[in-house]
Amino acid sequence: EDQVTQSPEALRLQEGESSSLNCSYTVSGLRGLFWYRQDPGKGPEFLFTLYSAGEEKEKERLKATLTKKESFLHITAPKPEDSATYLCAAPSGNTPLVFGKGTRLSVIA
Amino acid sequence: SQTIHQWPATLVQPVGSPLSLECTVEGTSNPNLYWYRQAAGRGLQLLFYSVGIGQISSEVPQNLSASRPQDRQFILSSKKLLLSDSGFYLCAWSPGGDGQYFGPGTRLTVT
């Protein structure tokens, strides 16, 4: 069964402490790997799409990378406003997107 | 630019009552439309998606149904709500290619 698994479930960082979030997938024939940010009580906000191994995309302090089996969301020198849940997702068969359960990031000033 | 609206923002309904949640998209035509439910600890679950008027695909057998009466309108309904229907309901749209874009969501509590 195709799966999208995120780790860790929760991550607590000091402001300025860089780290990475992991998204591993077992979807065959990857047709895109998507990253979203979700703030409490709000809908997910689209961040990035990656299509092929070796691809990288950046937005402010975030950089997403993709290998054949996993994707990383690198957060450089995070600020408290980066606190949110980060979701990854991939198409699977006839399902448009299968989501991981997310990583809840807390950045402490 | 495109915008997506959902209403109501919050809803408290008794068990056995009907449900109607509405989603509309502005600034695009013939979007793909999606309904998701997000429950604590379970992530986003795709409920229905539609690639055109009257075309609905159901991902999970359940107490809910969806309809698309107009190109940019997507409705989620139930005839009789269950306690297990509580959750955060999200509508999303896509142009058919890169990514899905989510609405603000509806928090449904069934009592």
Side-chain angles (χ1 to χ4, degrees):
Chain A
E1 179 182 328
D2 292 342
Q3 283 193 344
V4 177
T5 305
Q6 293 187 246
S7 62
E9 289 186 15
L11 181 63
R12 185 181 174 99
L13 298 174
Q14 293 293 319
E15 184 173 4
E17 179 186 4
S18 301
S19 187
S20 297
L21 314 182
N22 177 264
C23 172
S24 63
Y25 58 91
T26 57
V27 172
S28 57
L30 186 69
R31 292 172 281 138
L33 189 291
F34 299 80
W35 281 99
Y36 289 83
R37 168 191 170 129
Q38 186 175 24
D39 292 304
K42 297 189 177 181
E45 173 191 350
F46 174 74
L47 292 173
F48 306 109
T49 309
L50 303 167
Y51 288 104
S52 56
E55 188 176 0
E56 299 183 353
K57 288 191 176 175
E58 290 188 61
K59 180 179 180 180
E60 297 181 353
R61 292 175 294 281
L62 301 177
K63 182 169 76 173
T65 61
L66 183 66
T67 71
K68 289 186 177 180
K69 293 186 176 181
E70 55 194 349
S71 178
F72 294 94
L73 185 65
H74 308 278
I75 303 176
T76 301
K79 298 182 178 182
E81 53 262 42
D82 294 321
S83 298
T85 295
Y86 291 86
L87 302 167
C88 71
S92 173
N94 293 324
T95 302
L97 281 181
V98 173
F99 280 82
K101 293 186 177 180
T103 293
R104 189 171 64 254
L105 175 66
S106 300
V107 182
I108 310 303
Chain B
S1 64
Q2 299 84 12
T3 56
I4 179 168
H5 304 278
Q6 287 186 245
W7 63 91
T10 60
L11 191 59
V12 180
Q13 292 284 96
V15 169
S17 63
L19 174 73
S20 181
L21 302 181
E22 190 165 344
C23 170
T24 59
V25 181
E26 296 178 353
T28 186
S29 59
N30 197 30
N32 293 344
L33 296 172
Y34 311 85
W35 278 113
Y36 287 86
R37 178 168 57 206
Q38 190 173 37
R42 296 191 63 186
L44 274 165
Q45 179 187 35
L46 179 64
L47 302 176
F48 302 95
Y49 69 95
S50 171
V51 299
I53 295 175
Q55 301 178 62
I56 309 292
S57 297
S58 173
E59 287 294 298
V60 182
Q62 59 216 330
N63 184 42
L64 302 169
S65 62
S67 62
R68 185 171 177 172
Q70 300 180 37
D71 181 45
R72 291 169 290 172
Q73 184 185 33
F74 206 21
I75 296 173
L76 183 69
S77 304
S78 174
K79 292 182 179 179
K80 290 186 178 182
L81 283 168
L82 307 172
L83 284 173
S84 58
D85 291 323
S86 293
F88 191 45
Y89 288 82
L90 289 155
C91 181
W93 75 276
S94 77
D98 195 0
Q100 293 180 16
Y101 303 90
F102 286 82
T106 295
R107 174 74 61 189
L108 171 66
T109 303
V110 183
T111 60

